[in-house]
Amino acid sequence: MNGLDDLVRILFPGNRNHQRIFLAIFIELKYSSDQFLPSLAPLCDQYDLSPRMLETVRSKMRRMGIIDHVCRFNATTGYREGWVFSKRFSKAMVRISEAVESFKEGKDPHQREKDEDSFRYV
């Protein structure tokens, strides 16, 4: 992967508007003070984005574990409410990578039957 543009094409294939919004959120969060944004709403005016589409992409990013919303009751964020990067996504990617590597191993003699059963179920 060469950069952020490759990642956005993988996560939001075929939808340039969603890709653009993802990049806006990611870049603003990356370069914000303490990587913390109190609100994503100002991005609509700053980048000429639709609030509805911003909400859709924000929701997808949250479900994927790329960003998290923190509440003002959280001491680790200084009792501020807003958006931060999540650690879940990168941890999930490491686990997926490890799983793919283990799936490539053919040590279990019954694994071929299990793999073929998986194929039939899909």
Side-chain angles (χ1 to χ4, degrees):
M1 206 181 291
N2 293 330
L4 198 51
D5 54 332
D6 291 330
L7 176 64
V8 76
R9 279 192 220 96
I10 291 168
L11 298 177
F12 296 92
N15 193 326
R16 304 236 342 127
N17 289 327
H18 286 190
Q19 291 172 2
R20 192 168 162 259
I21 294 168
F22 172 89
L23 287 171
I25 294 170
F26 195 93
I27 290 168
E28 287 300 317
L29 192 54
K30 179 178 178 179
Y31 293 105
S32 65
S33 172
D34 298 327
Q35 293 189 334
F36 176 86
L37 289 174
S39 173
L40 299 177
L43 301 181
C44 291
D45 293 333
Q46 185 177 350
Y47 290 95
D48 193 30
L49 306 173
S50 155
R52 182 175 179 192
M53 287 175 75
L54 177 80
E55 193 61 23
T56 299
V57 173
R58 181 216 48 85
S59 176
K60 287 181 181 181
M61 290 175 74
R62 188 170 187 195
R63 280 195 315 267
M64 284 188 264
I66 297 171
I67 61 174
D68 273 329
H69 186 262
V70 293
C71 72
R72 62 183 179 269
F73 303 112
N74 190 337
T76 59
T77 58
Y79 300 102
R80 300 177 297 175
E81 184 172 7
W83 296 94
V84 296
F85 283 119
S86 174
K87 293 177 178 58
R88 290 183 301 139
F89 185 74
S90 56
K91 288 179 182 178
M93 292 296 104
V94 169
R95 286 194 304 270
I96 287 172
S97 175
E98 291 168 352
V100 168
E101 289 303 314
S102 72
F103 293 154
K104 291 192 296 188
E105 297 173 4
K107 295 179 182 176
D108 183 1
H110 302 289
Q111 189 60 45
R112 182 173 181 95
E113 293 172 26
K114 293 176 186 176
D115 292 344
E116 289 173 352
D117 284 343
S118 296
F119 179 77
R120 282 191 285 276
Y121 294 129
V122 175

